[in-house]
Amino acid sequence: PLPRYPRRIGIVTSPTGAALQDMLNTLRGRYPLAEVVLAPAAVQGDDAPPQIVRALDALNRVAQPDVILVARGGGSLEDLWAFNDERVVRAVAASRTPVISGVGHETDFTLTDFAADLRAPTPTGAAVLAVPDASDLLAELGGWVFRLQQSVLETLGRNTLSLREKTHSL
């Protein structure tokens, strides 16, 4: 299961890609309470699979986030091929930390998507799925504050009535 309120989020992606900035902006806007840890990796080419595997391993062993986003923006089938590599798929499946795959665009599917705990249609979608929306949390908190106030008022009312009854009986 994915954590409802993650405190630390790991990201495996290219440190120079637009996908990283999109995810960071989404995470900051929706849930600025979480710490984000980047495990940089190439996301295409021959060097990508071993780098992605090492990044996942480092996050699981060292950073120990509550959830990991494995992501890259869209591209051709060849550009996304690293996410079909058996080593990457096995590393995602073996992750102790839940993984959200956000590889490509809506119509792109890779084997990593099927090994992950959850598939998102885009990197930004992965960030959205990883965290709650702060405005929803504020609304929920407002409901709890209202219920707490009502409970306190009811308790005070009952205690006031009881105190008056005891005073009257004296």
Side-chain angles (χ1 to χ4, degrees):
L2 295 175
R4 184 162 183 206
Y5 307 110
R7 289 181 296 203
R8 181 176 293 149
I9 299 167
I11 297 179
V12 176
T13 194
S14 169
T16 59
L20 175 61
Q21 290 309 312
D22 290 345
M23 288 186 291
L24 290 175
N25 289 336
T26 299
L27 293 170
R28 274 189 223 111
R30 288 179 60 86
Y31 192 70
L33 303 173
E35 173 190 4
V36 176
V37 178
L38 173 65
V43 291
Q44 72 182 56
D46 294 337
D47 294 335
Q51 287 186 27
I52 295 168
V53 169
R54 279 194 300 274
L56 278 165
D57 181 57
L59 285 173
N60 274 292
R61 279 185 311 100
V62 180
Q64 299 179 343
D66 299 309
V67 64
I68 296 174
L69 311 181
V70 175
R72 75 149 278 148
S76 68
L77 179 61
E78 292 79 19
D79 292 340
L80 304 178
W81 200 252
F83 297 93
N84 287 321
D85 186 281
E86 180 180 353
R87 296 166 290 180
V88 173
V89 174
R90 287 186 181 276
V92 167
S95 176
R96 291 186 309 272
T97 303
V99 175
I100 300 174
S101 174
V103 177
H105 291 302
E106 283 86 356
T107 58
D108 298 320
F109 283 90
T110 65
L111 294 177
T112 297
D113 294 330
F114 298 103
D117 296 277
L118 190 59
R119 177 200 178 263
T122 63
T124 301
V128 167
L129 291 173
V131 296
D133 190 354
S135 61
D136 292 342
L137 292 177
L138 287 173
E140 186 178 335
L141 182 60
W144 283 105
V145 167
F146 176 76
R147 284 191 285 282
L148 180 60
Q149 289 172 334
Q150 292 302 105
S151 177
V152 168
L153 290 174
E154 288 173 16
T155 301
L156 282 173
R158 278 194 311 272
N159 289 345
T160 300
L161 182 61
S162 174
L163 184 59
R164 283 186 183 146
E165 288 173 354
K166 290 177 180 168
T167 302
H168 187 272
S169 70
L170 283 176

